[in-house]
């Protein structure tokens, strides 16, 4: 395979990879056109590579576009897995909308900034002062019900399979489970309902490189979000992730006539 990467660290160990700095991509137009895969471009490169140079990119276009904005992501989740998406209100930031959301949401609730990661841009709203402070700095109002959990599950999907899944326990200050915010990883077994849901959603949305964050409330898994460029702190088998990516890239280039069977996934988990 002819591979070009724009992220040397995420493609370490893959064979025969040519690395290009993102800002130099126009100097390598012919190489990019001839490549079998272009790996981990920056978001701002996507249209030029896919529509201009007709490159095949990894992660997928859906991984980029859905993963770029929590509003778009939540609406996609509501479309394909409504029973496994927390109750969410998204409105323009105006006086009427602020009042309506405040009247409808039960305290405490969660407010988010649409474009943030690693636990940044997420607030627990416990009183009207918290709500006012959030609204004063928000372009769009994005609120979700608070789920009573002290840990969540990170499910890592690469290519067409789950590479690993682990618990993320709450940080000492509470609320945040992100390892970047003081949470910690626990590699004990996770419920299959969480991994089944993540893989089903990934396949349905054509997302092929993502760290899904899933909350378990009793036996019901809830989709919180996914990160296209997830942290590797909790991924204790980097070789498995690299192999999953390579297998997927190679497999997608093989002829598929007749189509290659896909491992079946159980039906959607639903609320009980």
């Amino acid at each position: 395979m002819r591979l070009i990467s724009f992220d040397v660290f995420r493609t370490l160990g893959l064979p025969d990879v040519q690395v290009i700095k993102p800002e130099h991509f126009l100097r390598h137009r012919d190489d990019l056109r001839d490549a079998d895969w272009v790996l981990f471009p920056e978001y701002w490169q996507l249209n030029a590579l896919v529509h201009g140079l007709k490159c095949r990119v990894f992660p997928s276009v859906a991984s980029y576009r859905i993963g770029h904005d929590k509003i778009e992501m939540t609406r996609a989740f509501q479309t394909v897995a409504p029973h496994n998406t927390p109750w969410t209100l998204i409105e323009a930031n105006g006086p009427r909308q602020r009042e309506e959301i405040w009247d409808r949401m039960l305290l405490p609730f969660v407010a988010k900034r649409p474009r943030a990661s690693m636990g940044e841009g997420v607030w627990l709203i416990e009183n009207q002062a918290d709500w006012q402070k959030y609204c004063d700095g928000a372009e769009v109002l994005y609120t979700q019900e608070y789920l009573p959990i002290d840990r969540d599950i990170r499910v890592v999907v690469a290519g067409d399979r789950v590479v690993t899944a682990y618990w993320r326990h709450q940080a000492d200050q509470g609320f945040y489970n992100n390892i970047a915010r003081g949470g910690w990883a626990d590699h004990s077994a996770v419920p299959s309902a969480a991994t089944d849901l993540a893989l089903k959603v990934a396949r349905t949305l054509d997302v092929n490189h993502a760290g899904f964050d899933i909350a378990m409330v009793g036996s019901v898994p809830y989709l919180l979000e996914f990160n296209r460029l997830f942290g590797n702190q909790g991924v204790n088998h980097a070789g498995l992730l690299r192999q999953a990516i390579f297998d997927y890239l190679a497999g997608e280039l093989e002829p598929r006539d007749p189509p290659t069977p896909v491992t079946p996934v159980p039906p959607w988990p639903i609320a009980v």
Side-chain angles (χ1 to χ4, degrees), residues 49-175:
L49 292 172
V50 173
H51 303 297
L53 297 178
K54 310 303 180 185
C55 297
R56 173 180 269 181
V57 298
F58 179 90
S60 64
V61 173
S63 301
Y64 278 87
R65 290 184 175 155
I66 299 173
H68 190 63
D69 185 296
K70 288 186 176 66
I71 292 174
E72 300 297 331
M73 185 185 304
T74 298
R75 287 172 176 157
F77 288 166
Q78 290 171 329
T79 300
V80 302
H83 298 295
N84 302 97
T85 304
W87 184 53
T88 305
L89 295 177
I90 302 169
E91 296 287 352
N93 189 357
R96 177 180 59 80
Q97 292 88 345
R98 292 184 185 192
E99 184 176 349
E100 287 179 354
I101 289 177
W102 176 254
D103 288 342
R104 295 180 66 186
M105 298 298 296
L106 296 177
L107 289 173
F109 61 91
V110 177
K112 298 181 179 181
R113 190 168 63 236
R115 297 180 183 177
S117 61
M118 298 187 296
E120 300 291 338
V122 180
W123 293 269
L124 182 64
I125 307 300
E126 298 182 285
N127 51 54
Q128 196 156 24
D130 291 339
W131 178 235
Q132 184 65 46
K133 184 177 180 180
Y134 166 76
C135 291
D136 288 345
E139 294 183 10
V140 178
L141 304 179
Y142 175 111
T143 59
Q144 283 188 330
E145 65 176 311
Y146 173 76
L147 299 178
I149 59 171
D150 61 1
R151 56 182 176 167
D152 63 17
I153 298 169
R154 165 61 59 87
V155 181
V156 175
V157 174
D160 197 36
R161 67 180 188 250
V162 172
V163 175
T164 189
Y166 54 91
W167 294 97
R168 302 188 310 170
H169 289 261
Q170 204 165 81
D172 291 340
Q173 73 267 30
F175 185 55

Side-chain angles (χ1 to χ4, degrees), residues 167-242:
W167 294 97
R168 302 188 310 170
H169 289 261
Q170 204 165 81
D172 291 340
Q173 73 267 30
F175 185 55
Y176 297 100
N177 301 321
N178 309 75
I179 294 175
R181 297 294 298 271
W184 54 278
D186 170 10
H187 289 274
S188 58
V190 306
S192 60
T195 53
D196 290 344
L197 176 63
L199 187 57
K200 183 71 173 180
V201 169
R203 288 175 173 175
T204 302
L205 296 177
D206 295 323
V207 170
N208 60 11
H209 187 270
F212 283 85
D213 298 337
I214 294 181
M216 294 298 301
V217 180
S219 61
V220 181
Y222 286 90
L223 293 155
L224 301 178
E225 61 181 74
F226 74 79
N227 291 283
R228 171 177 54 86
L229 297 179
F230 48 86
N232 289 335
Q233 300 99 319
V235 181
N236 59 354
H237 298 292
L240 293 179
L241 178 59
R242 183 169 58 246

